[in-house]
Amino acid sequence: MEKPILSESQEDYLKEIFKLRELNLNVSMQDLANKLNVKPPSVTGMVKKLCAMNLVEHEPYKGVQLTETGEKIALEILRHHRLLELYLAKHLNYSWDEIHEEAERLEHVISEKFEAAIAELMDHPTHDPHGDPIPSADLVIPDSPELAPITLHKTGHQLTISRVMSQDKDILNLLSRLELIIGRKITIKGNESTGVRLKVNENQYLIPHSIAKLVWCHDDEKAD
Amino acid sequence: MEKPILSESQEDYLKEIFKLRELNLNVSMQDLANKLNVKPPSVTGMVKKLCAMNLVEHEPYKGVQLTETGEKIALEILRHHRLLELYLAKHLNYSWDEIHEEAERLEHVISEKFEAAIAELMDHPTHDPHGDPIPSADLVIPDSPELAPITLHKTGHQLTISRVMSQDKDILNLLSRLELIIGRKITIKGNESTGVRLKVNENQYLIPHSIAKLVWCHDDEKAD
DNA sequence: AAAAATATTTAGTTATAGCTAATAATATAT
DNA sequence: ATATATTATTAGCTATAACTAAATATTTTT
């Protein structure tokens, strides 16, 4: 079965289904409509089309999921996106909060050649600047260390920030002003009703749970 | 007057009108249809739309031309395209014949930030790998030395290849196999009915006029 | 088990940008 | 000046991917 030619819109649907599936158990039409900024009837129409192309399967009220072919395509786009994000940051001096938008547009138009060229140039990286894993050229997602959001880690342990689950400019800006960036070592000082108290480079902050749960860390004191 | 938001298709129309205007005196609907690979009625429709947006002017049977605003946009796209071509060649190891296609897709989606970043990185270049002038950031086309196609130069004079008027893969491949590339010094040995006899690096070739007229040169023996 | 709330689909519309077939306008050649 | 050829437009169609309003199906709550 050769690779079908898809519109950018269709690629976005596949990508979103993949990303939502990683989080939730099932992906509703509503979920998709929200993420893609379209109305539910548009989703019905497109999902129907993708079903006919054997890229997704859909059981009403139970969820949408990708077929093997659909997943391959989603991973391809995700690889483009994440390679591009890293490339923009490393080679074109983009800041953390600028890379997502640009990659979002470029991911659909770069050729295999372009993909290979930047991957090569960066020595086949496995993670992008947000800590998201970059699917390999043969579309396998690399293993990541065992991660959990700050909110689920034990008080007192030293953690390494390894992934940030947001692409929102304002949130990313806030996090980088607080120095809560990939690779930074932090310690949880306390978990209060108003938020989590952190020690970061000798400073202490209280950050709300809504922010804390976006920051995923590795526990340096837990052998695994 | 702020910059209108255009579709990629509309950008392509403006770009083609600009490029054709550089060559011909007037640009017919047919010319546009040919270059853009669409049928004449599609051109009528789109030109009408662009007229309404004050980006082009059209007198039937006399030609289409860009307004000032239209030209600004065309130059912007051309700048994207040519910067990208050079960038792909210099930083991602693309060969001469591969850059055009990729740039054709990327030119519509890169941001001002991306444009500025690669321009900066390459130290604000004035010409792309085909010798085409790159409009400056404020959209002025840089001066080029006085150029003419090989077919119009004098026999015996030493010439420097400065611009190649084709984006066709096969032609570019042929030219690079003959070492007829930007910067190469050549001498015209004779002008025959079958073609032009050239000396290139100790070798001599006879190249057909159809190819010779695509290769534009500067006459090193003529002071200007 | 019925009512209410939520989720999904259907029906019909819009905009963009192409297309073909046929017509009209202009330019060129006899 | 008339006929022919060329160029351009009109009318009407197609596909994609959105949309709204209304209807239907399912799940959840009471």
Side-chain angles (χ1 to χ4, degrees):
Chain A
M1 205 190 297
E2 331 97 44
K3 211 186 290 178
I5 293 149
L6 301 185
S7 67
E8 299 195 2
S9 185
Q10 290 170 336
E11 291 180 348
D12 280 335
Y13 276 81
L14 298 180
K15 187 182 64 170
E16 277 315 327
I17 293 165
F18 184 91
K19 290 204 290 178
L20 285 169
R21 262 262 152 182
E22 274 188 319
L23 301 174
N24 312 322
L25 211 48
N26 36 224
V27 175
S28 71
M29 305 303 257
Q30 274 296 352
D31 292 343
L32 272 175
N34 295 149
K35 282 288 176 183
L36 293 164
N37 289 307
V38 298
K39 305 292 176 192
S42 309
V43 178
T44 301
M46 185 59 92
V47 164
K48 197 175 272 180
K49 217 173 292 179
L50 295 171
C51 277
M53 297 166 92
N54 270 298
L55 300 174
V56 310
E57 277 159 12
H58 177 219
E59 282 208 70
Y61 301 91
K62 301 199 65 183
V64 185
Q65 65 185 106
L66 298 172
T67 64
E68 229 173 283
T69 322
E71 184 165 307
K72 281 264 166 11
I73 298 171
L75 284 167
E76 182 81 37
I77 304 295
L78 220 52
R79 174 168 164 82
H80 286 185
H81 184 93
R82 292 176 179 170
L83 279 174
L84 281 163
E85 286 199 340
L86 192 62
Y87 186 73
L88 294 170
K90 281 180 77 166
H91 289 264
L92 299 180
N93 275 302
Y94 275 61
S95 63
W96 209 17
D97 59 316
E98 297 172 319
I99 55 182
H100 180 70
E101 260 186 84
E102 191 90 50
E104 201 72 9
R105 277 175 285 114
L106 289 167
E107 64 186 6
H108 303 290
V109 305
I110 65 169
S111 65
E112 293 298 291
K113 165 110 196 166
F114 192 104
E115 173 197 315
I118 62 174
E120 175 80 20
L121 207 65
M122 298 188 295
D123 221 11
H124 306 284
T126 58
H127 292 78
D128 78 6
H130 304 100
D132 297 331
I134 302 173
S136 64
D138 53 350
L139 304 180
V140 176
I141 296 190
D143 277 342
S144 298
E146 203 182 288
L147 303 182
I150 288 180
T151 46
L152 296 182
H153 278 284
K154 293 212 185 86
T155 304
H157 281 205
Q158 196 200 46
L159 311 175
T160 304
I161 298 177
S162 301
R163 194 169 178 185
V164 172
M165 295 300 207
S166 171
Q167 301 283 6
D168 184 275
K169 269 173 177 272
D170 295 329
I171 290 175
L172 292 175
N173 255 318
L174 170 66
L175 290 175
S176 79
R177 277 205 307 280
L178 297 176
E179 305 195 77
L180 295 171
I181 57 180
I182 304 298
R184 176 75 72 237
K185 309 279 187 191
I186 61 174
T187 313
I188 303 184
K189 287 300 186 182
N191 205 324
E192 303 167 20
S193 66
T194 44
V196 181
R197 182 165 303 281
L198 296 180
K199 177 154 163 261
V200 187
N201 290 351
E202 312 314 316
N203 303 315
Q204 289 212 9
Y205 317 123
L206 182 71
I207 64 170
H209 289 109
S210 62
I211 298 289
K213 72 167 191 254
L214 299 174
V215 180
W216 290 50
C217 299
H218 174 252
D219 187 329
D220 299 341
E221 298 175 33
K222 196 164 76 183
D224 50 350
Chain B
M1 205 191 295
E2 331 96 44
K3 212 186 288 177
I5 291 147
L6 301 185
S7 67
E8 298 196 2
S9 186
Q10 291 170 335
E11 291 181 348
D12 280 334
Y13 275 81
L14 298 181
K15 187 181 65 170
E16 277 315 327
I17 294 166
F18 184 90
K19 290 204 290 180
L20 285 169
R21 262 262 152 182
E22 273 190 318
L23 301 174
N24 312 321
L25 211 48
N26 37 223
V27 176
S28 70
M29 305 303 259
Q30 274 295 351
D31 292 342
L32 271 175
N34 296 148
K35 282 288 177 186
L36 294 164
N37 290 307
V38 298
K39 304 294 174 190
S42 308
V43 178
T44 300
M46 185 58 93
V47 165
K48 196 175 273 179
K49 218 173 291 180
L50 295 171
C51 277
M53 297 167 92
N54 270 298
L55 299 175
V56 311
E57 276 158 13
H58 177 219
E59 282 208 69
Y61 302 91
K62 300 199 67 183
V64 185
Q65 65 187 106
L66 298 172
T67 63
E68 228 174 284
T69 322
E71 184 167 307
K72 281 266 168 5
I73 297 172
L75 285 167
E76 182 80 37
I77 303 295
L78 221 52
R79 174 168 163 84
H80 286 184
H81 183 94
R82 292 176 179 170
L83 280 174
L84 281 163
E85 286 199 340
L86 192 63
Y87 186 74
L88 294 170
K90 281 180 78 166
H91 289 265
L92 298 180
N93 274 304
Y94 274 61
S95 64
W96 210 18
D97 59 315
E98 297 172 320
I99 55 182
H100 180 70
E101 260 186 83
E102 191 91 51
E104 202 72 9
R105 275 174 287 114
L106 290 167
E107 64 186 7
H108 303 291
V109 305
I110 64 169
S111 65
E112 293 297 292
K113 164 108 195 167
F114 192 104
E115 174 197 314
I118 63 175
E120 174 80 20
L121 207 66
M122 298 187 295
D123 219 10
H124 306 283
T126 58
H127 292 79
D128 78 5
H130 303 101
D132 296 331
I134 302 173
S136 63
D138 52 351
L139 304 179
V140 176
I141 296 189
D143 277 342
S144 299
E146 204 181 287
L147 302 181
I150 287 181
T151 46
L152 296 182
H153 278 285
K154 294 215 184 85
T155 305
H157 282 207
Q158 196 200 45
L159 310 176
T160 303
I161 299 177
S162 302
R163 193 168 178 186
V164 172
M165 295 300 206
S166 172
Q167 301 283 7
D168 183 275
K169 269 174 177 271
D170 295 328
I171 290 175
L172 292 175
N173 255 317
L174 171 66
L175 290 175
S176 77
R177 277 204 308 280
L178 298 175
E179 306 196 75
L180 296 171
I181 56 180
I182 304 296
R184 178 73 74 235
K185 309 279 188 190
I186 63 174
T187 313
I188 303 184
K189 286 302 189 179
N191 204 323
E192 303 167 20
S193 66
T194 43
V196 182
R197 181 165 303 281
L198 296 180
K199 179 156 162 257
V200 187
N201 291 351
E202 312 314 315
N203 304 314
Q204 290 212 8
Y205 318 122
L206 183 70
I207 64 168
H209 290 110
S210 62
I211 299 288
K213 73 168 190 253
L214 300 173
V215 180
W216 290 49
C217 298
H218 174 252
D219 187 329
D220 298 340
E221 299 175 31
K222 197 164 75 182
D224 51 350

